[in-house]
Amino acid sequence: MLDVPDPEAFAEMLLQLRLIFRDVMYQATRMAERGNVDEAVWMLEERLRLYVIAFERLLELPDGTIDSAQPGFARVFLEAAP
């Protein structure tokens, strides 16, 4: 069982991490729009990987418990952006 002194504050911190990812998505989309699709894909995939590690550590889960996205998601997402 996860032992945190203030579960509500902990939950708010997890939500803030998720909100920060919105900026990463925006940056990757902008990069792709400027023609830097490969760089944008790498950045988005790397950030997804790091966020998964952070959430697994914070929630005291074994490595590999969380699947962030299917392989190829970042490329499909960024190439589909208008």
Side-chain angles (χ1 to χ4, degrees):
M1 177 175 223
L2 190 62
D3 181 25
V4 295
D6 186 342
E8 196 169 309
F10 185 75
E12 286 178 22
M13 290 183 342
L14 291 177
L15 288 173
Q16 288 300 317
L17 281 173
R18 168 57 189 99
L19 291 174
I20 292 168
F21 195 72
R22 176 182 53 192
D23 293 333
V24 172
M25 297 284 281
Y26 176 75
Q27 290 172 20
T29 302
R30 297 286 296 157
M31 267 188 219
E33 288 172 350
R34 290 190 298 264
N36 300 323
V37 175
D38 290 338
E39 185 179 349
V41 166
W42 182 87
M43 183 187 82
L44 189 54
E45 287 177 344
E46 182 63 9
R47 286 296 182 92
L48 280 168
R49 186 183 74 76
L50 294 173
Y51 273 77
V52 165
I53 290 169
F55 274 100
E56 287 175 342
R57 297 296 187 278
L58 288 167
L59 297 172
E60 299 177 352
L61 299 171
D63 290 351
T65 300
I66 299 173
D67 287 329
S68 62
Q70 292 182 349
F73 162 78
R75 182 163 299 281
V76 170
F77 172 78
L78 292 168
E79 288 178 347

